[in-house]
């Protein structure tokens, strides 16, 4: 179970790292398109290293960062790759839309890359053994991974379509809240590894949010749409397919993450009305998913307690 040490290393460290990186990038470039992705990526990498170092030491953690093994350990590289289209777009001028020629194949390939050689997409030799009973057919893989890629592309597009001046602080805050709730739901589901890493993403976004306030940078998370969307989408996919998060919970969390910073219709025209609408659209699915996950956790704990009381040998 998560404790104070995990909270400090996986929460406070990435938040401070993201805050510092954002502030330095802002002072150097005065551009939110630089500060936000730098803050998120540095915060995520810093939190990942800190959390690993708390168990295996800093040298081993850095070595593991360079030679990832499990699927989620590759995600920091994907976050860097997700920032490349925005960098390319800065040189394209009026042809910025061409960056989607990079974004689409990147997002389409990420789910396949992360699931490759898993129990769902084993090698031909592993399939031949007959023990890989959960392996997908080609059609199943296209449908499932295609749906994941489409969901990430949609949110990425809707985030970038937003006006930077439209509630940037509200959006940054809600994204951090939605990701924190996603980490909590993963923890309640028993997916502690993914609770930690999603929590690191949430802390990094939170650090950037506070840094933007301190630097008076009137900009929201749409400037780091690529890294945030690719990280959160990939980790939710892995937490669902590899671990114990329920698909409906993951879908609800993804809807909340999308609404946290998506472009809203022009009505209501008032600022307060639009903030209220965004909060409702984001928080309602979060409350529903967290409430259901908490209920299931309580039920499982109650069942275990009942079994322990009826079986005296379990207490030996």
């Amino acid at each position: 179970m998560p404790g104070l040490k995990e909270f400090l290393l996986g929460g406070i460290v990435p938040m401070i790292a993201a805050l510092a990186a954002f502030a330095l990038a802002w002072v150097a470039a005065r551009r939110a398109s630089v500060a936000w992705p730098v803050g998120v990526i540095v915060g995520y990498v810093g939190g990942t290293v800190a959390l690993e170092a708390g168990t295996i030491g800093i040298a081993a953690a850095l070595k593991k960062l360079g030679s990832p093994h499990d699927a989620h350990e590759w995600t920091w590289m994907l976050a860097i790759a997700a920032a490349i289209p925005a960098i390319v777009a800065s040189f394209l001028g009026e042809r910025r839309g061409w960056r989607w020629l990079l974004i689409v194949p990147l997002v389409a390939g990420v789910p396949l890359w992360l699931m490759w050689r898993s129990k769902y997409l084993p090698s031909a030799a592993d399939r031949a053994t007959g023990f890989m009973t959960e392996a997908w057919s080609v059609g199943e893989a296209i449908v499932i991974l295609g749906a994941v890629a489409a969901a990430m592309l949609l949110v990425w597009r809707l985030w970038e379509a937003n006006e930077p001046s439209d509630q940037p602080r509200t959006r940054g805050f809600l994204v951090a809240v939605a990701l924190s709730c996603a980490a909590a739901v993963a923890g309640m589901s028993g997916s502690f590894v993914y609770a930690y890493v999603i929590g690191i993403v949430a802390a990094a976004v939170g650090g950037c949010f506070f840094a933007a306030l301190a630097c008076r940078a009137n900009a929201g998370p749409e400037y780091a749409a690529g890294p945030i969307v690719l990280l959160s989408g990939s980790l939710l996919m892995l937490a669902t397919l590899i671990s114990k998060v329920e698909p409906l919970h993951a879908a609800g969390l993804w809807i909340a993450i999308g609404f946290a910073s998506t472009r809203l219709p022009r009505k209501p025209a008032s600022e307060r009305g639009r903030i209220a609408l965004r909060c409702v659209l984001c928080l309602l699915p979060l409350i529903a998913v967290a409430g259901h996950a908490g209920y299931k956790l309580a039920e499982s704990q109650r069942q275990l307690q009942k079994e322990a009381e009826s079986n005296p040998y379990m207490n030996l």
Side-chain angles (χ1 to χ4, degrees), residues 204-255:
V205 173
C208 290
F209 166 74
F210 288 119
L213 289 179
C215 296
R216 297 182 180 179
N218 194 31
E222 73 280 355
Y223 286 106
I228 297 173
V229 169
L230 209 62
L231 279 174
S232 54
S234 298
L235 292 172
L236 273 178
M237 178 193 73
L238 293 172
T240 303
L241 297 177
I242 303 298
S243 195
K244 301 176 181 179
V245 173
E246 295 187 9
L248 285 178
H249 288 172
L253 292 168
W254 192 243
I255 289 171

